[in-house]
Amino acid sequence: MIYKRSSALFSEAKKYIPGGVNSPVRAFKAVGGDPIFVKSAKGAYLYDEDDNRLIDYIASWGPLILGHAFEPVINAVIEKAKKGTSFGMPTEIETELAKLAVSMVPNIDKIRFVNSGTEACMSAVRLARGYTGNDKIIKFAGCYHGHSDSFLIQAGSGAVTFGSPNSPGVTQGTAKDTLLATYNDLESVKALTHANKGEIAAVIIEPVAGNMGCIIPSEEFIKGLRELCTRENILLIFDEVMTGFRLGKGGAQEVLGIDADIVTFGKVIGGGLPVGAFAARSEIMSQLAPDGPVYQAGTLSGNPLAMSAGLAMLTELNNNPEIFWSLADKTAYLHKGLEKVLIENEVSHQINRFGSMISVHFTDEPVIDFTSSAKGNNETFKKYFHGMLEQGVYLPPSAFESYFLNDAISYDDIDQTIIALQKIVDQLK
Ligand code: KE4
């Protein structure tokens, strides 16, 4: 495939935008080469600036669960835009989307809309701190909750000491309130709650992780985490920016059967436009301004254009819940086909899958946390990524990402994907 125009556009972009992108993962740093510039998309396919057609397994990092340019969403946005795009005043459609989301998701009475998953998670932590009066939070190595300072923290020295910043610009003052635990390791959480008794506001977790590749919580871990938080009066925040409205109507809470105290959303809830949200039962949400003292705000929060896309998307999902199972079946078919090729060719690999989230790791160890995910052979991954791209299959440009299948992908597209792997598998040995 030719990528001349993408490369030329990338050179031009780098003159005016840091790294030529507005979000680092798009720059292909983890896999090398220049990023693909997309011109348009429809259904399961991306059309890039060199007129290549690519089967899309990213779906804009999750939002486009029904495929690109889904008619009901596009029509809703067009009609809404004709009446104005934002007013900074309450509109009926915000209540319509709020009511629908609350009806679909367990354990939430109220929801506040923001403009990104980062804002949702940042605000959820502030709300938890305001509600409990405690300062510290626990997050898990490898989980990503957006780029708010409190989340850009790496493991500190020793298991129960404070985290340390993993980005310049994040202060020690912030880092000291973020404690780092190990995913799927309940003892690591217990050690932190014991060493910081009575000081922790919340545990925030990706209930099915998608930022280390796809990582599934063991039933013992996630149930034990809920019980521990209840026992220690710590709020459990489910970051469902990826899993919300993707794993099922009720997201991870529903499919895992675990009640969270606060839930955050992004991606699908906005139908491809900028929407994030955080939600909880009334007694917690009542602490939020203007009802309560915990401040949070946003000029474009709940703007009618984004609301119209989210409402059209969630309405389709709510009325056709079989979409979730159809997507899960397609993902299982992809899993089976990729695995067959890799086993037949004796390529060390692990494939993790949950619903329509899946990831391929080139390691012979089970991938259950960040450490085991990092043991994947990145040189092999780079060959896999570029080899598939050359054949028109667009995968996430990092081994630490999950694929997100969209329902416009056909079984024929998946067969083409498996054939593409068959053609390059010799390079992976
Ligand atoms: P945004 O601020 O990017 O809308 O959401 C942050 C976020 C929060 N929580 C989870 C579980 C997330 O996965 C994300 C963002 N996901 C990344 C993909 N790994 C977005 C892609 C990007 O950073 O460009």
Side-chain angles (χ1 to χ4, degrees), residues 23-26 61 115-119 121 144-147 206 210-211 239-242 264 267 400-401 404:
S23 197
V25 74
R26 303 177 192 169
W61 302 98
N115 300 282
S116 70
T118 294
E119 259 195 279
C121 294
Y144 178 68
H145 307 292
H147 64 90
E206 291 180 53
N211 287 288
D239 174 355
E240 295 222 41
V241 168
M242 280 184 170
T264 64
K267 300 180 192 282
F400 293 102
E401 297 289 352
F404 297 101

Short mmCIF file of all heavy atoms in Angstrom, two decimals, residues 23-26 61 115-119 121 144-147 206 210-211 239-242 264 267 400-401 404, ligand 1:
data_model
loop_
_atom_site.label_atom_id
_atom_site.label_comp_id
_atom_site.label_asym_id
_atom_site.label_seq_id
_atom_site.Cartn_x
_atom_site.Cartn_y
_atom_site.Cartn_z
N SER A 23 -3.30 13.72 19.78
CA SER A 23 -3.26 12.74 20.86
C SER A 23 -2.13 11.77 20.55
O SER A 23 -2.09 11.22 19.44
CB SER A 23 -4.61 12.01 20.98
OG SER A 23 -4.69 11.38 22.23
N PRO A 24 -1.19 11.61 21.50
CA PRO A 24 0.09 10.93 21.18
C PRO A 24 -0.02 9.54 20.56
O PRO A 24 0.75 9.21 19.66
CB PRO A 24 0.77 10.86 22.55
CG PRO A 24 0.23 12.02 23.30
CD PRO A 24 -1.22 12.13 22.86
N VAL A 25 -1.00 8.74 21.00
CA VAL A 25 -1.04 7.34 20.51
C VAL A 25 -1.23 7.29 19.00
O VAL A 25 -0.90 6.30 18.35
CB VAL A 25 -2.12 6.53 21.25
CG1 VAL A 25 -3.52 6.91 20.78
CG2 VAL A 25 -1.88 5.03 21.09
N ARG A 26 -1.77 8.37 18.40
CA ARG A 26 -2.02 8.37 16.95
C ARG A 26 -0.72 8.47 16.14
O ARG A 26 -0.74 8.23 14.93
CB ARG A 26 -2.89 9.57 16.57
CG ARG A 26 -4.21 9.63 17.29
CD ARG A 26 -4.99 10.89 16.93
NE ARG A 26 -6.13 11.10 17.83
CZ ARG A 26 -6.83 12.22 17.86
NH1 ARG A 26 -6.52 13.23 17.05
NH2 ARG A 26 -7.83 12.36 18.70
N TRP A 61 -11.07 4.44 18.80
CA TRP A 61 -10.75 4.02 20.17
C TRP A 61 -12.02 3.69 20.96
O TRP A 61 -12.10 3.89 22.16
CB TRP A 61 -9.89 5.05 20.88
CG TRP A 61 -8.61 5.30 20.14
CD1 TRP A 61 -8.35 6.32 19.28
CD2 TRP A 61 -7.45 4.47 20.13
NE1 TRP A 61 -7.10 6.19 18.75
CE2 TRP A 61 -6.52 5.06 19.26
CE3 TRP A 61 -7.10 3.28 20.78
CZ2 TRP A 61 -5.26 4.51 19.00
CZ3 TRP A 61 -5.85 2.73 20.53
CH2 TRP A 61 -4.95 3.34 19.65
N ASN A 115 -16.92 16.62 28.68
CA ASN A 115 -16.52 16.59 27.27
C ASN A 115 -15.51 15.51 26.93
O ASN A 115 -15.09 15.41 25.77
CB ASN A 115 -15.97 17.95 26.86
CG ASN A 115 -17.02 19.03 27.04
OD1 ASN A 115 -17.92 19.16 26.23
ND2 ASN A 115 -16.96 19.76 28.15
N SER A 116 -15.07 14.74 27.92
CA SER A 116 -14.08 13.69 27.62
C SER A 116 -14.06 12.68 28.77
O SER A 116 -14.56 12.96 29.87
CB SER A 116 -12.68 14.30 27.47
OG SER A 116 -12.22 14.76 28.74
N GLY A 117 -13.43 11.54 28.50
CA GLY A 117 -13.26 10.55 29.56
C GLY A 117 -12.36 11.06 30.67
O GLY A 117 -12.57 10.78 31.84
N THR A 118 -11.35 11.85 30.26
CA THR A 118 -10.45 12.44 31.26
C THR A 118 -11.23 13.31 32.24
O THR A 118 -11.09 13.18 33.46
CB THR A 118 -9.37 13.31 30.57
OG1 THR A 118 -8.51 12.48 29.80
CG2 THR A 118 -8.56 14.08 31.58
N GLU A 119 -12.07 14.19 31.68
CA GLU A 119 -12.87 15.05 32.55
C GLU A 119 -13.78 14.23 33.45
O GLU A 119 -13.97 14.55 34.63
CB GLU A 119 -13.76 15.95 31.68
CG GLU A 119 -13.29 17.35 31.46
CD GLU A 119 -14.42 18.20 30.90
OE1 GLU A 119 -14.66 18.13 29.68
OE2 GLU A 119 -15.07 18.89 31.70
N CYS A 121 -13.34 11.13 34.62
CA CYS A 121 -12.59 10.45 35.69
C CYS A 121 -12.02 11.44 36.69
O CYS A 121 -12.06 11.20 37.91
CB CYS A 121 -11.48 9.60 35.07
SG CYS A 121 -12.10 8.23 34.08
N TYR A 144 -5.49 3.26 32.56
CA TYR A 144 -5.43 4.65 32.11
C TYR A 144 -6.80 5.28 32.31
O TYR A 144 -7.81 4.70 31.90
CB TYR A 144 -5.04 4.71 30.63
CG TYR A 144 -4.99 6.10 30.03
CD1 TYR A 144 -4.02 7.02 30.41
CD2 TYR A 144 -5.91 6.49 29.05
CE1 TYR A 144 -3.97 8.30 29.84
CE2 TYR A 144 -5.88 7.77 28.49
CZ TYR A 144 -4.90 8.66 28.89
OH TYR A 144 -4.86 9.93 28.34
N HIS A 145 -6.80 6.44 32.97
CA HIS A 145 -8.07 7.11 33.25
C HIS A 145 -8.07 8.52 32.68
O HIS A 145 -8.75 9.42 33.17
CB HIS A 145 -8.33 7.13 34.75
CG HIS A 145 -8.23 5.78 35.40
ND1 HIS A 145 -9.14 4.77 35.17
CD2 HIS A 145 -7.29 5.26 36.24
CE1 HIS A 145 -8.78 3.69 35.84
NE2 HIS A 145 -7.67 3.95 36.50
N GLY A 146 -7.24 8.73 31.63
CA GLY A 146 -7.12 10.06 31.06
C GLY A 146 -5.88 10.75 31.61
O GLY A 146 -5.10 10.17 32.39
N HIS A 147 -5.66 11.98 31.18
CA HIS A 147 -4.37 12.64 31.46
C HIS A 147 -4.44 13.64 32.61
O HIS A 147 -3.59 14.53 32.73
CB HIS A 147 -3.83 13.30 30.18
CG HIS A 147 -4.70 14.41 29.69
ND1 HIS A 147 -4.53 15.72 30.09
CD2 HIS A 147 -5.78 14.42 28.86
CE1 HIS A 147 -5.46 16.47 29.52
NE2 HIS A 147 -6.23 15.72 28.77
N GLU A 206 -10.33 0.19 35.78
CA GLU A 206 -11.00 -0.21 34.54
C GLU A 206 -11.55 -1.62 34.80
O GLU A 206 -10.76 -2.57 34.93
CB GLU A 206 -10.01 -0.28 33.38
CG GLU A 206 -9.44 1.04 32.90
CD GLU A 206 -8.47 0.82 31.74
OE1 GLU A 206 -8.86 0.18 30.75
OE2 GLU A 206 -7.31 1.27 31.85
N GLY A 210 -8.42 -2.04 29.24
CA GLY A 210 -8.19 -1.97 27.79
C GLY A 210 -6.95 -1.16 27.45
O GLY A 210 -6.65 -0.92 26.28
N ASN A 211 -6.20 -0.75 28.47
CA ASN A 211 -5.02 0.08 28.22
C ASN A 211 -3.71 -0.63 28.53
O ASN A 211 -2.66 0.00 28.66
CB ASN A 211 -5.14 1.38 29.03
CG ASN A 211 -6.19 2.29 28.42
OD1 ASN A 211 -5.98 2.88 27.37
ND2 ASN A 211 -7.35 2.39 29.06
N ASP A 239 -14.23 2.87 36.02
CA ASP A 239 -13.98 3.69 34.84
C ASP A 239 -14.48 2.91 33.63
O ASP A 239 -13.79 2.03 33.12
CB ASP A 239 -12.48 4.01 34.72
CG ASP A 239 -12.17 4.75 33.42
OD1 ASP A 239 -13.09 4.92 32.60
OD2 ASP A 239 -11.00 5.15 33.23
N GLU A 240 -15.68 3.24 33.18
CA GLU A 240 -16.31 2.52 32.07
C GLU A 240 -16.27 3.33 30.78
O GLU A 240 -17.11 3.15 29.89
CB GLU A 240 -17.75 2.13 32.44
CG GLU A 240 -17.83 1.13 33.58
CD GLU A 240 -18.88 0.04 33.34
OE1 GLU A 240 -18.97 -0.45 32.21
OE2 GLU A 240 -19.61 -0.31 34.28
N VAL A 241 -15.26 4.17 30.68
CA VAL A 241 -15.09 4.95 29.43
C VAL A 241 -15.02 4.00 28.25
O VAL A 241 -15.56 4.27 27.18
CB VAL A 241 -13.86 5.86 29.53
CG1 VAL A 241 -13.49 6.45 28.18
CG2 VAL A 241 -14.10 6.96 30.55
N MET A 242 -14.34 2.87 28.39
CA MET A 242 -14.27 1.88 27.30
C MET A 242 -15.43 0.88 27.37
O MET A 242 -16.03 0.54 26.36
CB MET A 242 -12.97 1.07 27.39
CG MET A 242 -11.75 1.77 26.85
SD MET A 242 -10.34 0.62 26.93
CE MET A 242 -9.14 1.54 25.96
N THR A 264 -17.84 6.06 35.44
CA THR A 264 -17.52 7.10 34.44
C THR A 264 -17.73 6.53 33.04
O THR A 264 -17.59 5.33 32.82
CB THR A 264 -16.06 7.57 34.58
OG1 THR A 264 -15.18 6.49 34.29
CG2 THR A 264 -15.80 8.13 35.97
N LYS A 267 -16.54 7.94 25.07
CA LYS A 267 -16.59 7.13 23.84
C LYS A 267 -18.02 6.87 23.36
O LYS A 267 -18.67 7.77 22.84
CB LYS A 267 -15.76 5.86 24.06
CG LYS A 267 -14.28 6.18 24.39
CD LYS A 267 -13.46 4.95 24.60
CE LYS A 267 -12.11 5.26 25.20
NZ LYS A 267 -11.12 5.77 24.26
N PHE A 400 -0.22 -2.08 23.80
CA PHE A 400 -0.91 -1.80 25.07
C PHE A 400 -2.30 -1.25 24.84
O PHE A 400 -2.81 -0.47 25.64
CB PHE A 400 -0.08 -0.83 25.93
CG PHE A 400 1.21 -1.43 26.40
CD1 PHE A 400 2.41 -1.12 25.77
CD2 PHE A 400 1.23 -2.38 27.43
CE1 PHE A 400 3.60 -1.69 26.19
CE2 PHE A 400 2.42 -2.96 27.85
CZ PHE A 400 3.61 -2.61 27.23
N GLU A 401 -2.90 -1.63 23.71
CA GLU A 401 -4.26 -1.16 23.43
C GLU A 401 -5.16 -2.34 23.13
O GLU A 401 -4.70 -3.39 22.72
CB GLU A 401 -4.25 -0.20 22.22
CG GLU A 401 -3.44 1.07 22.43
CD GLU A 401 -4.08 2.05 23.40
OE1 GLU A 401 -5.24 1.82 23.83
OE2 GLU A 401 -3.41 3.03 23.76
N PHE A 404 -11.35 -2.62 19.26
CA PHE A 404 -12.78 -2.38 19.52
C PHE A 404 -13.55 -2.72 18.26
O PHE A 404 -13.49 -1.98 17.27
CB PHE A 404 -13.02 -0.90 19.86
CG PHE A 404 -12.32 -0.44 21.11
CD1 PHE A 404 -11.13 0.27 21.04
CD2 PHE A 404 -12.84 -0.74 22.36
CE1 PHE A 404 -10.47 0.68 22.18
CE2 PHE A 404 -12.19 -0.32 23.52
CZ PHE A 404 -11.00 0.38 23.42
P1 KE4 B 1 -10.44 10.68 26.85
O1 KE4 B 1 -10.04 11.84 27.72
O2 KE4 B 1 -9.34 10.28 25.89
O3 KE4 B 1 -11.79 10.87 26.16
O4 KE4 B 1 -10.68 9.43 27.82
C1 KE4 B 1 -9.65 9.04 28.70
C2 KE4 B 1 -9.85 7.58 29.07
C3 KE4 B 1 -10.36 7.27 30.32
N1 KE4 B 1 -10.57 5.99 30.70
C4 KE4 B 1 -10.26 4.96 29.86
C5 KE4 B 1 -10.49 3.55 30.32
C6 KE4 B 1 -9.73 5.22 28.57
O5 KE4 B 1 -9.41 4.18 27.75
C7 KE4 B 1 -9.52 6.55 28.16
C8 KE4 B 1 -8.94 6.90 26.80
N2 KE4 B 1 -8.58 5.79 25.97
C9 KE4 B 1 -7.54 6.07 25.02
C10 KE4 B 1 -7.22 4.74 24.32
N3 KE4 B 1 -6.41 3.89 25.12
C11 KE4 B 1 -7.94 7.13 24.05
C12 KE4 B 1 -7.01 7.26 22.86
C13 KE4 B 1 -6.12 8.47 22.98
O6 KE4 B 1 -5.55 8.72 24.07
O7 KE4 B 1 -6.00 9.16 21.94
#
